[in-house]
Amino acid sequence: MLSLTPTALLNVLRDIASHHCPAHTDMLPSAGTPERSGLSQAVQHFFGLADGALLTDASITQEEWAKALSEAACIRHLNVFDTISSGAFNHQLQRSYRHRAETLAQEVSALKGLFDTPLMTNRTLVSWLPLQTVSGFMLGALLPQEAGFKTRSLFDHANALWELNAGDIVVTSSDRWGQLAERLPSLPANITAVTTTPLDKQTYQTLLANGVAQIIELYGQPSTGILAMRTSQEAPFELLTHWHPTESDDVLLQLTANGVPEETSLGEPLHWVGARHFTTAHEPDVTHGIFMQQLFERPGQFVAESANAA
């Protein structure tokens, strides 16, 4: 079961409501209206609720719904969406994918490890991602909750980028990073830039030239969530700790909470260049020289010892 704080839930509710309530407000639509019914059904679907008993007609604000869900909801899975962008601040929801609570817990634990440094305290994470996507939910809602980050959404706070401090984190997709690289003359020192899809070389170099201290490129698929990361474009992607390779380019193994590995089919194949390293079909120009010593290794079947070590 997934435990979410009222703050994390409120942020997600605001994102869901933005598709049902044109007015930018935390007030719920009037009870009995199609807008209220549509919003309630969307919330039930996203959080995998059996019914809308917690989303009572007596509630007036989204905060009331967030508190009720935090205190009493049994969230065993989420139905997150793929999206397409239709402008800098607009996106359309596409197909939904079911993600189990225990899988999301594994993923946030792996992501938290990427930022587990002495600078963890007092960090703000600025998100420019729709929270109804798996990457948006993980990075914009669940990670800040688990890591103790303050969080701001660029959808709601257009000035957030001008109020960054050293050590803060900005997360968005590669196309939006391209827009930011063109418009931002500089960033404070020690900012971490996280992209949910690989950057082109020009955007990557521009961000470094503008003061970004570290760039973390993530790779994921809507049906699986975030699979891997890298901190240099000269390197291939490395699987996060809860994912394990197989002899197939189309299948990964995930170690579940009870210790049993499960096969997961991928929407797009991976191209292995080492025991846990791969490139993707969409990546131009990746240098693998530093991994030449691993090229003789072929990802083998899962073994319990390596999983426990991970």
Side-chain angles (χ1 to χ4, degrees):
M1 190 171 70
L2 195 62
S3 177
L4 297 170
T5 64
T7 299
L9 283 161
L10 180 58
N11 288 335
V12 177
L13 288 176
R14 285 170 173 160
D15 188 77
I16 298 174
S18 68
H19 291 267
H20 296 267
C21 315
H24 186 76
T25 174
D26 282 348
M27 300 296 290
L28 291 168
S30 299
T33 63
E35 291 80 8
R36 177 73 163 239
S37 176
L39 179 57
S40 177
Q41 291 174 14
V43 172
Q44 290 177 59
H45 174 73
F46 184 83
F47 291 109
L49 304 178
D51 55 52
L54 296 174
L55 311 176
T56 66
D57 287 345
S59 298
I60 298 175
T61 66
Q62 294 177 40
E63 188 174 3
E64 292 176 74
W65 275 10
K67 183 178 179 181
L69 292 172
S70 179
E71 292 176 349
C74 182
I75 302 174
R76 300 191 182 280
H77 70 271
L78 295 183
N79 293 303
V80 296
F81 293 87
D82 192 7
T83 67
I84 57 172
S85 296
S86 55
F89 287 91
N90 296 308
H91 51 269
Q92 298 175 2
L93 301 180
Q94 301 296 297
R95 178 181 173 183
S96 68
Y97 298 84
R98 178 170 170 154
H99 289 256
R100 297 177 306 183
E102 57 266 31
T103 300
L104 297 172
Q106 284 180 300
E107 187 168 314
V108 76
S109 178
L111 291 173
K112 183 180 174 183
L114 302 180
F115 306 97
D116 193 7
T117 70
L119 292 174
M120 284 280 284
T121 57
N122 289 326
R123 298 178 82 175
T124 295
L125 185 148
V126 176
S127 170
W128 195 10
L129 294 168
L131 299 188
Q132 292 180 80
T133 62
V134 64
S135 56
F137 176 79
M138 296 304 302
L139 295 166
L142 194 55
L143 176 62
Q145 172 184 298
E146 296 302 307
F149 298 151
K150 293 177 286 186
T151 183
R152 302 186 77 187
S153 168
L154 203 57
F155 292 108
D156 301 323
H157 304 280
N159 62 337
L161 293 176
W162 307 109
E163 299 173 354
L164 291 167
N165 296 303
D168 287 347
I169 304 163
V170 181
V171 299
T172 191
S173 56
S174 58
D175 57 332
R176 286 171 172 159
W177 272 121
Q179 297 174 46
L180 293 178
E182 291 179 0
R183 290 167 171 77
L184 290 177
S186 63
L187 288 167
N190 295 322
I191 294 296
T192 296
V194 180
T195 176
T196 57
T197 45
L199 297 173
D200 63 84
K201 284 190 174 181
Q202 181 177 349
T203 298
Y204 193 95
Q205 294 300 325
T206 300
L207 290 176
L208 291 177
N210 287 354
V212 172
Q214 182 183 37
I215 299 175
I216 298 176
E217 292 180 294
L218 301 175
Y219 175 81
Q221 299 180 6
S223 60
T224 60
I226 299 171
L227 298 173
M229 59 78 66
R230 67 182 179 188
T231 56
S232 169
Q233 284 201 323
E234 300 302 312
F237 284 96
E238 180 178 3
L239 290 173
L240 297 181
T241 55
H242 59 297
W243 290 106
H244 303 274
T246 70
E247 293 181 350
S248 170
D249 292 346
D250 303 297
V251 177
L252 290 178
L253 288 173
Q254 184 174 19
L255 189 66
T256 62
N258 59 11
V260 178
E262 289 186 355
E263 286 192 352
T264 298
S265 297
L266 301 175
E268 295 183 6
L270 307 177
H271 304 290
W272 298 104
V273 295
R276 295 180 59 82
H277 298 86
F278 65 87
T279 62
T280 69
H282 305 295
E283 260 192 284
D285 261 353
V286 176
T287 303
H288 309 306
I290 61 174
F291 289 94
M292 286 299 292
Q293 72 274 18
Q294 297 181 358
L295 291 180
F296 69 91
E297 296 177 340
R298 181 60 180 163
Q301 294 294 336
F302 173 88
V303 290
E305 289 78 11
S306 62
N308 291 335

mmCIF file of all heavy atoms in Angstrom, residues 158-180:
data_model
loop_
_atom_site.group_PDB
_atom_site.id
_atom_site.type_symbol
_atom_site.label_atom_id
_atom_site.label_comp_id
_atom_site.label_asym_id
_atom_site.label_seq_id
_atom_site.Cartn_x
_atom_site.Cartn_y
_atom_site.Cartn_z
ATOM 1 N N ALA A 158 5.612 30.442 -12.094
ATOM 2 C CA ALA A 158 6.447 30.744 -13.245
ATOM 3 C C ALA A 158 7.776 31.384 -12.845
ATOM 4 O O ALA A 158 8.734 31.369 -13.622
ATOM 5 C CB ALA A 158 5.691 31.660 -14.208
ATOM 6 N N ASN A 159 7.845 31.953 -11.649
ATOM 7 C CA ASN A 159 9.083 32.617 -11.200
ATOM 8 C C ASN A 159 10.006 31.680 -10.439
ATOM 9 O O ASN A 159 11.047 32.114 -9.935
ATOM 10 C CB ASN A 159 8.734 33.815 -10.310
ATOM 11 C CG ASN A 159 7.988 33.391 -9.048
ATOM 12 O OD1 ASN A 159 7.368 32.323 -9.019
ATOM 13 N ND2 ASN A 159 8.038 34.220 -8.019
ATOM 14 N N ALA A 160 9.661 30.415 -10.341
ATOM 15 C CA ALA A 160 10.443 29.492 -9.509
ATOM 16 C C ALA A 160 11.887 29.376 -9.961
ATOM 17 O O ALA A 160 12.798 29.208 -9.136
ATOM 18 C CB ALA A 160 9.779 28.108 -9.506
ATOM 19 N N LEU A 161 12.129 29.463 -11.261
ATOM 20 C CA LEU A 161 13.497 29.323 -11.768
ATOM 21 C C LEU A 161 14.376 30.503 -11.385
ATOM 22 O O LEU A 161 15.607 30.389 -11.360
ATOM 23 C CB LEU A 161 13.482 29.169 -13.286
ATOM 24 C CG LEU A 161 12.852 27.879 -13.822
ATOM 25 C CD1 LEU A 161 12.809 27.906 -15.336
ATOM 26 C CD2 LEU A 161 13.629 26.660 -13.341
ATOM 27 N N TRP A 162 13.754 31.643 -11.090
ATOM 28 C CA TRP A 162 14.527 32.823 -10.709
ATOM 29 C C TRP A 162 14.784 32.864 -9.202
ATOM 30 O O TRP A 162 15.458 33.760 -8.722
ATOM 31 C CB TRP A 162 13.799 34.094 -11.141
ATOM 32 C CG TRP A 162 13.435 34.072 -12.592
ATOM 33 C CD1 TRP A 162 12.199 33.939 -13.129
ATOM 34 C CD2 TRP A 162 14.335 34.131 -13.700
ATOM 35 N NE1 TRP A 162 12.267 33.915 -14.499
ATOM 36 C CE2 TRP A 162 13.572 34.044 -14.889
ATOM 37 C CE3 TRP A 162 15.735 34.262 -13.811
ATOM 38 C CZ2 TRP A 162 14.139 34.072 -16.155
ATOM 39 C CZ3 TRP A 162 16.298 34.295 -15.078
ATOM 40 C CH2 TRP A 162 15.497 34.204 -16.229
ATOM 41 N N GLU A 163 14.247 31.884 -8.484
ATOM 42 C CA GLU A 163 14.407 31.850 -7.029
ATOM 43 C C GLU A 163 15.153 30.616 -6.572
ATOM 44 O O GLU A 163 15.043 30.191 -5.428
ATOM 45 C CB GLU A 163 13.019 31.919 -6.375
ATOM 46 C CG GLU A 163 12.267 33.213 -6.719
ATOM 47 C CD GLU A 163 10.824 33.215 -6.219
ATOM 48 O OE1 GLU A 163 10.381 32.172 -5.706
ATOM 49 O OE2 GLU A 163 10.154 34.261 -6.352
ATOM 50 N N LEU A 164 15.919 30.010 -7.469
ATOM 51 C CA LEU A 164 16.684 28.816 -7.133
ATOM 52 C C LEU A 164 17.874 29.161 -6.258
ATOM 53 O O LEU A 164 18.428 30.256 -6.334
ATOM 54 C CB LEU A 164 17.178 28.137 -8.413
ATOM 55 C CG LEU A 164 16.117 27.489 -9.303
ATOM 56 C CD1 LEU A 164 16.715 27.150 -10.665
ATOM 57 C CD2 LEU A 164 15.545 26.240 -8.641
ATOM 58 N N ASN A 165 18.263 28.199 -5.442
ATOM 59 C CA ASN A 165 19.459 28.326 -4.613
ATOM 60 C C ASN A 165 20.391 27.166 -4.908
ATOM 61 O O ASN A 165 19.989 26.150 -5.485
ATOM 62 C CB ASN A 165 19.086 28.330 -3.125
ATOM 63 C CG ASN A 165 18.240 29.527 -2.751
ATOM 64 O OD1 ASN A 165 18.633 30.672 -2.956
ATOM 65 N ND2 ASN A 165 17.059 29.273 -2.210
ATOM 66 N N ALA A 166 21.632 27.315 -4.518
ATOM 67 C CA ALA A 166 22.610 26.248 -4.719
ATOM 68 C C ALA A 166 22.105 24.946 -4.098
ATOM 69 O O ALA A 166 21.608 24.937 -2.979
ATOM 70 C CB ALA A 166 23.949 26.645 -4.097
ATOM 71 N N GLY A 167 22.246 23.864 -4.845
ATOM 72 C CA GLY A 167 21.800 22.567 -4.367
ATOM 73 C C GLY A 167 20.400 22.193 -4.801
ATOM 74 O O GLY A 167 19.984 21.037 -4.635
ATOM 75 N N ASP A 168 19.632 23.138 -5.347
ATOM 76 C CA ASP A 168 18.266 22.837 -5.777
ATOM 77 C C ASP A 168 18.261 21.949 -7.027
ATOM 78 O O ASP A 168 19.282 21.810 -7.720
ATOM 79 C CB ASP A 168 17.488 24.120 -6.038
ATOM 80 C CG ASP A 168 17.120 24.859 -4.756
ATOM 81 O OD1 ASP A 168 17.251 24.262 -3.671
ATOM 82 O OD2 ASP A 168 16.706 26.031 -4.841
ATOM 83 N N ILE A 169 17.115 21.384 -7.317
ATOM 84 C CA ILE A 169 16.960 20.417 -8.404
ATOM 85 C C ILE A 169 15.839 20.889 -9.318
ATOM 86 O O ILE A 169 14.793 21.326 -8.840
ATOM 87 C CB ILE A 169 16.608 19.017 -7.842
ATOM 88 C CG1 ILE A 169 17.660 18.560 -6.824
ATOM 89 C CG2 ILE A 169 16.458 17.997 -8.963
ATOM 90 C CD1 ILE A 169 17.183 17.412 -5.943
ATOM 91 N N VAL A 170 16.054 20.794 -10.613
ATOM 92 C CA VAL A 170 15.013 21.109 -11.586
ATOM 93 C C VAL A 170 14.792 19.872 -12.442
ATOM 94 O O VAL A 170 15.758 19.296 -12.976
ATOM 95 C CB VAL A 170 15.392 22.309 -12.474
ATOM 96 C CG1 VAL A 170 14.257 22.623 -13.457
ATOM 97 C CG2 VAL A 170 15.711 23.530 -11.619
ATOM 98 N N VAL A 171 13.540 19.426 -12.585
ATOM 99 C CA VAL A 171 13.240 18.224 -13.359
ATOM 100 C C VAL A 171 12.217 18.547 -14.439
ATOM 101 O O VAL A 171 11.202 19.186 -14.185
ATOM 102 C CB VAL A 171 12.718 17.082 -12.458
ATOM 103 C CG1 VAL A 171 13.762 16.694 -11.429
ATOM 104 C CG2 VAL A 171 11.430 17.453 -11.753
ATOM 105 N N THR A 172 12.523 18.115 -15.652
ATOM 106 C CA THR A 172 11.562 18.239 -16.749
ATOM 107 C C THR A 172 12.022 17.324 -17.882
ATOM 108 O O THR A 172 12.994 16.573 -17.751
ATOM 109 C CB THR A 172 11.400 19.696 -17.209
ATOM 110 O OG1 THR A 172 10.279 19.786 -18.089
ATOM 111 C CG2 THR A 172 12.634 20.223 -17.919
ATOM 112 N N SER A 173 11.330 17.388 -19.007
ATOM 113 C CA SER A 173 11.651 16.550 -20.155
ATOM 114 C C SER A 173 12.673 17.242 -21.050
ATOM 115 O O SER A 173 12.945 18.442 -20.908
ATOM 116 C CB SER A 173 10.375 16.248 -20.945
ATOM 117 O OG SER A 173 9.730 17.453 -21.322
ATOM 118 N N SER A 174 13.222 16.503 -21.986
ATOM 119 C CA SER A 174 14.293 17.047 -22.822
ATOM 120 C C SER A 174 13.818 18.202 -23.699
ATOM 121 O O SER A 174 14.565 19.167 -23.901
ATOM 122 C CB SER A 174 14.886 15.942 -23.705
ATOM 123 O OG SER A 174 13.876 15.344 -24.517
ATOM 124 N N ASP A 175 12.589 18.140 -24.206
ATOM 125 C CA ASP A 175 12.119 19.230 -25.058
ATOM 126 C C ASP A 175 11.979 20.527 -24.264
ATOM 127 O O ASP A 175 12.298 21.619 -24.762
ATOM 128 C CB ASP A 175 10.797 18.854 -25.742
ATOM 129 C CG ASP A 175 9.705 18.485 -24.760
ATOM 130 O OD1 ASP A 175 10.029 18.012 -23.651
ATOM 131 O OD2 ASP A 175 8.512 18.661 -25.097
ATOM 132 N N ARG A 176 11.529 20.425 -23.014
ATOM 133 C CA ARG A 176 11.404 21.623 -22.189
ATOM 134 C C ARG A 176 12.763 22.117 -21.715
ATOM 135 O O ARG A 176 12.967 23.323 -21.550
ATOM 136 C CB ARG A 176 10.448 21.356 -21.033
ATOM 137 C CG ARG A 176 8.994 21.317 -21.522
ATOM 138 C CD ARG A 176 8.024 20.843 -20.483
ATOM 139 N NE ARG A 176 6.655 21.016 -20.982
ATOM 140 C CZ ARG A 176 5.596 20.360 -20.526
ATOM 141 N NH1 ARG A 176 5.740 19.483 -19.557
ATOM 142 N NH2 ARG A 176 4.403 20.583 -21.029
ATOM 143 N N TRP A 177 13.717 21.201 -21.503
ATOM 144 C CA TRP A 177 15.076 21.647 -21.195
ATOM 145 C C TRP A 177 15.645 22.432 -22.375
ATOM 146 O O TRP A 177 16.408 23.395 -22.195
ATOM 147 C CB TRP A 177 15.983 20.461 -20.861
ATOM 148 C CG TRP A 177 15.968 20.092 -19.411
ATOM 149 C CD1 TRP A 177 15.618 18.896 -18.867
ATOM 150 C CD2 TRP A 177 16.335 20.937 -18.312
ATOM 151 N NE1 TRP A 177 15.732 18.941 -17.496
ATOM 152 C CE2 TRP A 177 16.182 20.181 -17.129
ATOM 153 C CE3 TRP A 177 16.782 22.255 -18.219
ATOM 154 C CZ2 TRP A 177 16.449 20.705 -15.877
ATOM 155 C CZ3 TRP A 177 17.046 22.794 -16.963
ATOM 156 C CH2 TRP A 177 16.877 22.011 -15.808
ATOM 157 N N GLY A 178 15.287 22.022 -23.589
ATOM 158 C CA GLY A 178 15.732 22.771 -24.761
ATOM 159 C C GLY A 178 15.228 24.199 -24.738
ATOM 160 O O GLY A 178 15.958 25.150 -25.063
ATOM 161 N N GLN A 179 13.964 24.365 -24.318
ATOM 162 C CA GLN A 179 13.402 25.716 -24.216
ATOM 163 C C GLN A 179 14.104 26.522 -23.132
ATOM 164 O O GLN A 179 14.415 27.706 -23.319
ATOM 165 C CB GLN A 179 11.904 25.622 -23.913
ATOM 166 C CG GLN A 179 11.086 24.954 -25.009
ATOM 167 C CD GLN A 179 9.637 24.767 -24.602
ATOM 168 O OE1 GLN A 179 9.013 25.671 -24.072
ATOM 169 N NE2 GLN A 179 9.100 23.589 -24.843
ATOM 170 N N LEU A 180 14.363 25.883 -21.985
ATOM 171 C CA LEU A 180 15.016 26.589 -20.887
ATOM 172 C C LEU A 180 16.452 26.974 -21.249
ATOM 173 O O LEU A 180 16.929 28.055 -20.892
ATOM 174 C CB LEU A 180 15.010 25.717 -19.629
ATOM 175 C CG LEU A 180 13.645 25.448 -18.998
ATOM 176 C CD1 LEU A 180 13.788 24.525 -17.791
ATOM 177 C CD2 LEU A 180 12.961 26.751 -18.589
#
